[in-house]
Amino acid sequence: VLQYKQEGSAPFKDITRQVLFSQPDQACELRYFEVAPGGYSTLERHEHTHAVLVLRGRGTVRLGETVQAIAERDLVTVDPLTWHQFHADADSALGFLCLVSKERDKPQLPSEAERAALQAAQGPDAAR
């Protein structure tokens, strides 16, 4: 079990990650993320695609200006340069697999203006 990110590098709450599969001759990496009840991942975007499979729990996912409920066995595709963030419900942990390219760019964080625009599109609790 690894630290999700370096503390203070970006806003997140109560999340861990594990690298489950990473081979030198493979172009991808499979990771498992566990978000504690009420926790969330960083609001960010990348130039690479994510393929996500929810294994347990409930929560929401932000994809651009859309926020939708997710639960066990849901599949989520995060397209390149799409703002995304995963939230666990207050009463449920959220565990998911994430398949990404091994060679990938660093996350981009939203500016205050971009964060405000995303928040305005979904209401006051949409973008933490």
Side-chain angles (χ1 to χ4, degrees):
V1 176
L2 304 171
Q3 201 176 12
Y4 171 62
K5 293 184 179 187
Q6 185 176 356
E7 199 67 41
S9 64
F12 64 89
K13 179 181 176 190
D14 296 334
I15 182 170
T16 60
R17 70 181 170 95
Q18 297 176 38
V19 177
L20 302 179
F21 183 82
S22 182
Q23 298 292 323
D25 61 338
Q26 298 281 322
C28 61
E29 188 171 86
L30 184 63
R31 299 170 161 194
Y32 177 74
F33 292 85
E34 181 84 17
V35 187
Y40 51 89
S41 66
T42 301
L43 175 61
E44 61 190 22
R45 66 182 179 185
H46 315 265
E47 293 179 6
H48 60 274
T49 300
H50 295 52
V52 174
L53 170 61
V54 179
L55 293 182
R56 69 185 213 106
R58 296 179 318 279
T60 60
V61 62
R62 165 181 289 287
L63 294 172
E65 294 183 356
T66 302
V67 176
Q68 59 191 49
I70 54 175
E72 278 184 38
R73 295 181 291 236
D74 283 344
L75 297 170
V76 178
T77 300
V78 180
D79 291 325
L81 297 176
T82 300
W83 294 114
H84 59 281
Q85 185 175 41
F86 293 85
H87 287 255
D89 284 353
D91 63 346
S92 176
L94 179 65
F96 57 91
L97 293 173
C98 183
L99 183 66
V100 293
S101 297
K102 199 180 293 186
E103 298 292 325
R104 56 190 180 278
D105 61 308
K106 292 189 183 255
Q108 301 172 23
L109 301 178
S111 67
E112 286 305 315
E114 289 166 324
R115 184 180 293 280
L118 287 168
Q119 194 169 11
Q122 289 297 312
D125 295 328
R128 291 182 203 165

